[in-house]
Amino acid sequence: MNRLEIRPIKRLKTEWKHLDKDGRTCERCAHSKEKVPRAVEELDGEFRPRGWTVTLKGTLLTKKGFIESNQVLLNGKPLEKILPQAAKSEICCSSCKNLPGLRTLCQTIWHQGKTYEAIPPDLIPEAA
């Protein structure tokens, strides 16, 4: 009798949260919108031969949830909690403050002594 080998499927679920107001977003999130999917696609190409499934989910936030805007999660955990020498920070965003109709502090990521307003695509594979 042939034995059927069962291997667990390894999954890396990537989620990118960003503010969406009537189909618009701020400049920071627009920049991340270009870079994050490409980084996840490259990661999928690297991980797939090793038996991993890598997915990307975009979560549109409303005015109530904008504090989480421009955040990337890997299997539910924020990048800044995975990467060494990283932390969440906030800076006033001039393009974002007009979207929800109130002054906002947008999420940024601090990593190894630098503050990034848009998600640097190389941080995603580094965290993975």
Side-chain angles (χ1 to χ4, degrees):
M1 178 189 290
N2 289 344
R3 293 179 115 197
L4 185 61
E5 185 179 334
I6 300 174
R7 294 182 188 173
I9 297 173
K10 298 175 251 176
R11 299 179 196 270
L12 179 60
K13 296 177 185 178
T14 310
E15 181 180 5
W16 174 56
K17 296 179 176 185
H18 62 284
L19 178 66
D20 181 273
K21 173 111 176 159
D22 302 323
R24 299 178 326 181
T25 193
C26 75
E27 292 172 14
R28 293 178 188 176
C29 288
H31 182 70
S32 294
K33 186 177 184 176
E34 293 174 18
K35 305 291 183 186
V36 170
R38 262 187 270 155
V40 171
E41 188 177 313
E42 288 175 16
L43 197 58
D44 181 52
E46 183 181 330
F47 279 40
R48 188 167 296 277
R50 299 177 192 170
W52 284 79
T53 299
V54 180
T55 59
L56 173 62
K57 174 186 175 186
T59 301
L60 303 179
L61 301 171
T62 62
K63 183 177 176 178
K64 289 181 183 178
F66 75 87
I67 194 69
E68 297 176 339
S69 192
N70 212 21
Q71 181 181 55
V72 172
L73 306 163
L74 297 179
N75 287 342
K77 199 167 187 179
L79 281 180
E80 65 273 8
K81 299 228 180 202
I82 299 169
L83 294 166
Q85 300 180 25
K88 174 183 168 180
S89 58
E90 297 173 340
I91 297 176
C92 187
C93 175
S94 60
S95 74
C96 195
K97 70 180 179 184
N98 296 324
L99 291 174
L102 56 107
R103 187 179 168 101
T104 61
L105 290 174
C106 291
Q107 181 167 297
T108 59
I109 189 165
W110 179 88
H111 183 249
Q112 296 183 341
K114 292 183 181 180
T115 299
Y116 298 94
E117 293 181 357
I119 304 296
D122 58 326
L123 291 187
I124 296 170
E126 185 178 334

